[in-house]
């Protein structure tokens, strides 16, 4: 018997048996390893699995295939997971939804007080909401109710700040932010009101908001409602080293925020980053920190992780490997990092696998040995890529290509 909960626990049970006990692997949508075995007797008498994370999303274009996501037990909102796969975590309004919920072009001219007061002036362009305004709270709540009724297929509904600063400086918003020690406080007051309003009519729906940039700090006394997801974002960090070992000020501060949020939030999710958004083909040596950071998140009560990667195009810098590595760690944070990397390289690169591993070790060893920090905006002029590294990397790839010249795949 293989049994599991909804929406696709039984399917996970089947793939878990195939993967964990019979050695099957699904590395990319095109490359799998399905061993032939004369004996398929089940090697266990009883086995139960509860995922560490309730939400697991490797946000990389190479991994949006629905079959790949289901087989690797990812419930990604962006993956092409259909009804036959058992569905997925579905967002309505994925992020940065203030303008969608209360459009400035519709309301600003008649009600500028609905929008953020910055340096004594209400803003229509690049604005946020005045989250303590009673009419704003009422209108946003009504908009979310409407969205839920019109999109019953969605699981999570976003009530989150726009993707810029300009938070409201009115007296009421400022007083609340100062008393709680964070600009999240006015936002959370709005979000909690929405969440309490929908809880009875829609008990299975969740409200999502961000702890991002100016709202990243946790509040002193306020707490999110049980049906609120707080999505904590690591955008300022260095991703060459793990949060717990990096000496950059950004990582030290973020590590503390994760620890504090983990103490007070029952539904803490994380938005993490795995590439350079200045240049998708830039070498980005952060494969070795994935497992460390995911284990750190899980140990601090994080329940869901979104790993933002090269999502607008296929074949970014090692994108397939990045997605597979994330999948292994998001399902099982204790999965061995080197096992995941090496089994992927062997399957995808064949006889060239040792060379690709040599390249991976080259760039990772450099950032570790020289303590080179790396944010999500590095480009080809970054200190990682000096002439010595570039020449050696070129040589490694030339040898790798020559080794599999007769195997273009």
């Amino acid at each position: 018997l293989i049994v599991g909960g909804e929406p696709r626990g039984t399917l996970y049970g089947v793939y878990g048996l195939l993967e964990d006990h019979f050695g099957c692997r699904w590395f990319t949508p095109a490359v799998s390893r399905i061993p032939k075995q004369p004996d398929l007797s089940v090697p266990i008498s009883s086995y139960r699995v509860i995922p560490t994370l309730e939400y697991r999303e490797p946000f990389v274009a190479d991994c949006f295939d629905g079959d790949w996501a289901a087989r690797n037990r990812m419930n990604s909102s962006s993956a092409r997971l259909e009804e036959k796969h058992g569905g997925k975590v579905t967002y309505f309004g994925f992020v940065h939804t203030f303008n969608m919920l209360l459009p400035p072009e519709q309301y600003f001219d008649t009600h500028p007080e609905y929008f953020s007061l910055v340096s004594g002036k209400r803003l229509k362009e690049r604005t946020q909401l005045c989250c303590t305004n009673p009419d704003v709270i009422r209108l946003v709540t009504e908009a979310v109710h409407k969205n839920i009724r019109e999109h019953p297929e969605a699981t999570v509904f976003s009530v989150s700040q726009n993707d810029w600063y300009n938070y409201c400086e009115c007296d009421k918003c400022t007083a609340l932010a100062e008393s709680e020690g964070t600009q999240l406080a006015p936002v959370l007051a709005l979000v909690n009101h929405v969440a309490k309003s929908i809880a009875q009519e829609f008990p299975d729906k969740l409200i999502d908001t961000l702890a991002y940039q100016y709202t990243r700090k946790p509040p002193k006394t306020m707490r999110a409602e049980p049906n609120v997801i707080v999505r904590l974002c690591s955008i300022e960090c260095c991703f060459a080293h793990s949060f717990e070992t990096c000496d950059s000020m950004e990582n030290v501060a973020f590590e503390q925020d994760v620890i504090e949020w983990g103490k007070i939030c029952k539904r803490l999710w994380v938005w993490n980053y795995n590439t350079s958004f200045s240049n998708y083909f830039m070498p980005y040596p952060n494969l070795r920190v994935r497992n460390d950071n995911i284990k750190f998140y899980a140990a601090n009560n994080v329940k869901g992780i979104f790993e933002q990667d090269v999502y607008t195009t296929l074949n970014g810098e090692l994108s397939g490997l990045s997605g597979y590595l994330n999948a292994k760690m998001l399902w099982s944070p204790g999965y061995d990092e080197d096992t995941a990397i090496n089994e992927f390289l062997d399957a995808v690169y064949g006889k060239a696998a040792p060379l690709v591993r040599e390249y991976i070790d080259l760039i990772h060893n450099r950032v570790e040995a020289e303590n080179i920090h790396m944010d999500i905006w590095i480009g080809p002029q970054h200190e990682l890529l000096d002439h010595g590294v570039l020449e050696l990397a070129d040589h490694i790839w030339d040898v790798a290509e020559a080794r599999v010249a007769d195997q273009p795949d």
Side-chain angles (χ1 to χ4, degrees), residues 119-185:
S119 300
K121 181 182 178 182
R122 296 284 177 179
L123 298 185
K124 183 176 184 179
E125 303 297 327
R126 297 181 70 83
T127 189
Q128 305 288 354
L129 296 180
C130 178
C131 295
T132 58
N133 182 296
D135 288 335
V136 169
I137 295 171
R138 174 181 57 82
L139 289 168
V140 170
T141 302
E142 290 172 358
V144 173
H145 275 267
K146 180 173 182 289
N147 291 339
I148 294 175
R149 293 190 186 98
E150 292 178 353
H151 299 275
E153 76 286 353
T155 317
V156 186
F157 293 80
S158 172
V159 180
S160 58
Q161 69 208 60
N162 296 321
D163 197 9
W164 45 75
Y165 278 70
N166 292 337
Y167 54 82
C168 185
E169 299 171 355
C170 77
D171 290 345
K172 197 171 180 181
C173 285
T174 298
L176 184 55
E178 289 180 351
S179 68
E180 289 291 336
T182 175
Q183 284 294 335
L184 178 68

Side-chain angles (χ1 to χ4, degrees), residues 319-339:
S319 285
L321 172 58
S322 177
Y324 179 75
L325 184 64
N326 276 337
K328 307 314 291 178
M329 307 308 179
L330 293 174
W331 178 258
S332 178
Y335 198 86
D336 183 70
E337 168 188 287
D338 285 317
T339 297

Side-chain angles (χ1 to χ4, degrees), residues 107 152 316 330 369 383:
Y107 288 100
L330 293 174
E383 61 185 306

